[in-house]
Amino acid sequence: MLAATTTAEGNPMDGATFRELRTRIRLSQGELADKLNAMLQRSYDKPKLSRWENGRDPVPDDVALALRQMANVRKARVVAFVNQKGGVGKTTSAVNVAYAASAQGAKVLLVDMDAQASATAWLLLLPGAIEAYRRRQTTFHLLLQEVPFEEAVVRAGTDVAGRSLPFDFLPSHIDLMEADTRREPGLDIALKLVLDRLRGEYDLIVIDGPPNLGMLTWMLLAAADEVLIPVRTEPIDIMGVGLILATLRKVQRRTNMQLRIGGVLPTQYQRRKSVDREVLVSLRGALGEIPVLEPVEAAAVFGKAASEARITLEHSPRAPALAVYSRIADALLAGRPLPAASLDTADTEA
């Protein structure tokens, strides 16, 4: 039986952290209550856990310690970047968050589930992408031709055009589009079956999704713990947020009840433009309990890094616009709430 003790840094665990850690270890409230009762010889139930998560009751120190111990056993958090619209920063966000986490010493896997293979072209360049396909190292081969993960993955440290790949990577290929026309049992959970087996090998698994709501998106949503929705701060872009949210809720009901909407990530944000500020305010008002995350500011560094085919954070690690990716990675690895847009983010010019 665990003795009561204070949590990390002597601070009590709040409800948001409790919920984040429970989500991280992929347990429902009832399942966690059963585990806590077995560990602590108590008789907690779902309503009690709900009161902790809602902040109505304080989380006991021994419960907080037990939960942290469960979460500290390596069990990768699977995070997907999803939006049915292209050009909103999905690939940029996925690649930079994966890089930021690996730079912190985490073992990271990036999965390219976009048949357009933007992340693959970015990280491997054209010669490397062609070679990966020749070697059957793509998500097409993994998911549709049942090549084992150990053969399909491109490992961290692999030399690509004179550069070392910073994390393990599953490249993509245009042939992956075949998934949208395949009709075979269990295809929708094929990625989940692969990634569930890998959770003990990684600290974080990041998925870059396609710009549509077809089978590939259903597959990655079935496998993910958490979804982040990159959205440009332009009126026409936020009109599609309702559609992706409706899709996510269907997945939560039908396929993956543990799937969590981590938040909407505003991208290409320009605080000096009134329309951007208005869109951010509109998002915060319309999404209710869904967090609006700290926005990624528009900056020339994105174009400069892309022109050199380099990861933006690797190219310009001190660029202020990129700091949000490091903060997201840090929160994901620590099981903390993701950085939210501050109250003054949408204010008028300083």
Side-chain angles (χ1 to χ4, degrees):
M1 182 173 175
L2 293 172
T5 184
T6 54
T7 57
E9 299 179 355
N11 296 321
M13 179 180 288
D14 59 23
T17 301
F18 185 96
R19 183 168 54 252
E20 287 286 336
L21 291 178
R22 178 178 64 79
T23 302
R24 180 177 176 182
I25 59 179
R26 292 176 66 86
L27 292 177
S28 67
Q29 288 181 339
E31 292 168 337
L32 179 56
D34 290 341
K35 282 188 173 291
L36 289 172
N37 291 338
M39 293 175 68
L40 305 176
Q41 301 176 22
R42 303 294 173 79
S43 55
Y44 296 128
D45 55 15
K46 286 176 60 178
K48 186 62 175 177
L49 269 66
S50 292
R51 289 195 291 273
W52 290 338
E53 292 191 1
N54 294 331
R56 296 192 184 109
D57 291 346
V59 180
D61 289 338
D62 56 348
V63 168
L65 177 60
L67 183 56
R68 289 187 186 278
Q69 288 178 342
M70 282 187 267
N72 283 337
V73 176
R74 176 179 274 176
K75 191 173 183 181
R77 192 170 181 175
V78 181
V79 180
F81 288 84
V82 177
N83 193 320
Q84 75 274 12
K85 191 177 187 305
V88 298
K90 288 190 302 295
T91 298
T92 297
S93 298
V95 170
N96 280 286
V97 167
Y99 179 85
S102 64
Q104 295 180 37
K107 188 173 182 183
V108 179
L109 171 66
L110 176 65
V111 182
D112 189 351
M113 282 292 286
D114 183 359
Q116 296 181 21
S118 298
T120 300
W122 188 359
L123 294 170
L124 302 184
L125 306 180
L126 183 58
I130 293 173
E131 180 64 15
Y133 183 79
R134 187 188 70 79
R135 294 182 178 181
R136 297 164 62 84
Q137 290 182 301
T138 74
T139 45
F140 163 71
H141 294 100
L142 175 77
L143 300 172
L144 300 183
Q145 297 200 343
E146 299 187 357
V147 170
F149 170 80
E150 290 73 18
E151 298 177 19
V153 68
V154 179
R155 294 293 185 182
T158 300
D159 183 77
V160 180
R163 298 174 302 174
S164 180
L165 199 65
F167 38 69
D168 284 3
F169 180 47
L170 280 171
S172 187
H173 187 271
I174 189 66
D175 284 1
L176 188 60
M177 288 184 65
E178 185 181 324
D180 282 328
T181 59
R182 283 270 190 107
R183 294 295 180 267
E184 60 185 47
L187 182 60
D188 59 333
I189 61 170
L191 181 63
K192 171 182 170 54
L193 294 176
V194 172
L195 298 187
D196 279 353
R197 183 173 62 83
L198 301 173
R199 286 180 179 272
E201 299 181 24
Y202 292 96
D203 300 300
L204 182 66
I205 298 175
V206 179
I207 308 175
D208 181 26
N212 59 61
L213 296 179
M215 175 57 77
L216 293 174
T217 297
W218 282 90
M219 290 170 72
L220 69 88
L221 292 178
D225 299 321
E226 189 164 355
V227 172
L228 301 183
I229 309 170
V231 177
R232 291 190 306 174
T233 47
E234 296 184 9
I236 194 170
D237 284 58
I238 67 170
M239 292 172 63
V241 174
L243 179 59
I244 185 65
L245 290 178
T247 299
L248 293 173
R249 290 179 178 120
K250 288 178 182 177
V251 172
Q252 288 172 322
R253 292 196 304 269
R254 300 173 181 175
T255 308
N256 185 357
M257 291 183 289
Q258 301 301 320
L259 182 65
R260 180 175 179 274
I261 302 173
V264 169
L265 177 63
T267 61
Q268 302 177 37
Y269 177 70
Q270 300 183 59
R271 69 175 62 245
R272 294 183 177 277
K273 293 178 64 175
S274 60
V275 66
D276 287 55
R277 300 194 302 269
E278 291 166 2
V279 166
L280 198 60
V281 170
S282 297
L283 276 172
R284 294 173 63 185
L287 292 176
E289 294 183 357
I290 297 173
V292 176
L293 304 181
E294 181 182 352
V296 179
E297 304 250 2
V301 66
F302 290 102
K304 292 178 181 177
S307 68
E308 299 178 22
R310 294 181 61 191
I311 298 172
T312 326
L313 260 173
E314 177 187 32
H315 179 273
S316 303
R318 294 182 177 84
L322 304 179
V324 61
Y325 289 131
S326 295
R327 287 191 281 272
I328 289 174
D330 182 64
L332 290 171
L333 293 173
R336 295 197 305 267
L338 299 177
S342 63
L343 294 175
D344 61 352
T345 301
D347 287 349
T348 56
E349 296 180 30

